[in-house]
Every structure is written in C-alpha cells, then in structure tokens.
C-alpha cells in the first residue's frame, strides 16, 4: 500500500490548509518525512496508464470529520481487492474495511463528537501495527451506513473480536512518493 504526497508544493499547502481547517486531516510532515522513499531503479518498468477503479467499493458519505478514516478504510479495501483480483463491486463492497475502527483508535483525547480529525501518519502507523477489521464486523448492522445511528464516542461490544480480526488485515509498509513517476512505480509493484 502506498501513500502520497511527499513534497509540500504551494498547491498542496493550500489544499492541506483548506482540509485541516474545514475537514479532518491533521498532517504531520515530520512523521511523513520519516517514511521510506520509493525510488525508481533502472530496471523498474511501469505501465503508461493504470486504474484502480475496478477495485473500488460503493461509496457512502462520511460523517463528521472522518475523511482520513474513510480514506484509509477505502485505500485498504482497494488494496485488498487488488491483491485478490476482486473486481465485482458487490464483492469488493462486501469486504470494505471499517472507518470507525480507524477513527476510534486514533482520535484525539476529548474528541467525543468526531470533529477534530485524525493525524494521517499516526493512523497509518496504527494500521501497520494493528491492522483493521472489516466494516461488517464493526458497523453492521446496527450502525451507519446500515442505519442512521453514527458511531463516534463509543465502540460496539465487539472490540475484542474486532482486534483479533484486524490483525489479519495489517499492511506491511507505506512509502513516500515525490512525483508522478513514483505513483506509477508504486502501482506497478
């Protein structure tokens, strides 16, 4: 699984400041710079174009400032589908990972209404160490997106079971990428 961006361009700085003030991204550039930089080797080859769209699940709206949690859960879902060659959107969507797990485990102290967002790097590190369970194990069938009841300041009684399931879905590493060639390289590996 690869995560971007690497360099903080003026455009990206504007997007970050917009997202930080209006959404749920807390970006820690110091932690991000510590990630392994994915570099192209002379022997690396990658396609001119590539799409992950076939591996994407159905979309459902995020609630509150949970954009980072949703992005991580969907990225993990796409990675899972890609590795298993799942392209039927119904099968991919049946294996969506839990954004609530990500938010609940990584939220700031005192964030009882899911409004303070997440530190992207810390949440990714948590995914590397502890993994993530599937949405059907956490949210199904009593919570959003299956009902209107949104999980935020508490966790269902399934935490112990979900912790064990999450370990099955850890990721190995997340890399820094500095340009479009890096994205292409990551997709080719």
């Amino acid at each position: 699984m690869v995560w971007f961006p690497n360099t903080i361009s003026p455009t990206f700085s504007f997007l970050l400041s917009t997202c930080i003030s209006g959404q749920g991204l807390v970006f820690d550039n110091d932690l991000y710079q510590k990630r392994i930089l994915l570099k192209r080797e002379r022997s690396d080859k990658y396609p001119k174009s590539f799409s992950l769209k076939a591996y994407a699940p159905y979309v459902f709206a995020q609630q509150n400032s949970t954009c980072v949690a949703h992005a991580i859960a969907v990225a993990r879902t796409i990675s899972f589908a890609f590795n298993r060659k799942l392209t039927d959107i119904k099968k991919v969507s049946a294996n969506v990972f839990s954004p609530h797990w990500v938010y609940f485990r990584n939220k700031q102290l005192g964030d009882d209404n899911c409004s303070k967002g997440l530190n992207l790097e810390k949440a990714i590190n948590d995914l590397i160490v502890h993994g993530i369970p599937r949405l059907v194990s956490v949210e199904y069938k009593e919570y959003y997106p299956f009902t209107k009841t949104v999980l935020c300041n508490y966790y269902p009684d399934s935490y112990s079971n979900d912790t064990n399931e999450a370990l099955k879905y850890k990721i190995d590493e997340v890399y820094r990428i500095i340009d479009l060639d890096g994205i292409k390289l990551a997709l080719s590996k």
Side-chain angles (χ1 to χ4, degrees), residues 60-106:
F60 58 93
Q62 71 184 43
Q63 302 297 309
N64 305 323
S65 293
T66 60
C67 59
V68 170
H70 278 265
I72 289 172
V74 170
R76 183 63 184 100
T77 301
I78 290 170
S79 175
F80 177 86
F82 179 79
N83 290 333
R84 286 163 181 74
K85 299 182 181 17
L86 296 177
T87 56
D88 178 332
I89 194 167
K90 290 179 182 176
K91 289 180 182 176
V92 173
S93 297
N95 287 287
V96 168
F97 288 87
S98 172
H100 180 64
W101 168 269
V102 176
Y103 201 92
F104 186 80
R105 289 182 52 83
N106 295 284

Side-chain angles (χ1 to χ4, degrees), residues 108-129:
Q108 299 173 40
L109 290 175
D111 185 5
D112 294 331
N113 58 1
C114 295
S115 63
K116 296 183 180 182
L118 293 182
N119 179 308
L120 176 62
E121 293 302 317
K122 289 180 181 177
I124 291 171
N125 287 338
D126 186 65
L127 188 67
I128 292 170
V129 175

Side-chain angles (χ1 to χ4, degrees), residues 48-67:
K48 291 183 181 184
S49 66
F50 186 82
S51 174
L52 293 171
K53 185 176 180 180
Y55 306 100
Y58 289 118
V59 176
F60 58 93
Q62 71 184 43
Q63 302 297 309
N64 305 323
S65 293
T66 60
C67 59

Side-chain angles (χ1 to χ4, degrees), residues 5 19 26 37 42 51-52 61 71 81 87 89-91 99 111 116 118 128 130 138 142-143 152 159 167-168 176 178:
C19 190
V26 178
L37 178 63
R42 293 182 80 171
S51 174
L52 293 171
T87 56
I89 194 167
K90 290 179 182 176
K91 289 180 182 176
D111 185 5
K116 296 183 180 182
L118 293 182
I128 292 170
H130 300 286
V138 179
E142 298 177 29
Y143 304 101
C152 182
Y159 189 79
L167 291 171
K168 298 176 191 175
R176 272 189 306 132
I178 60 171

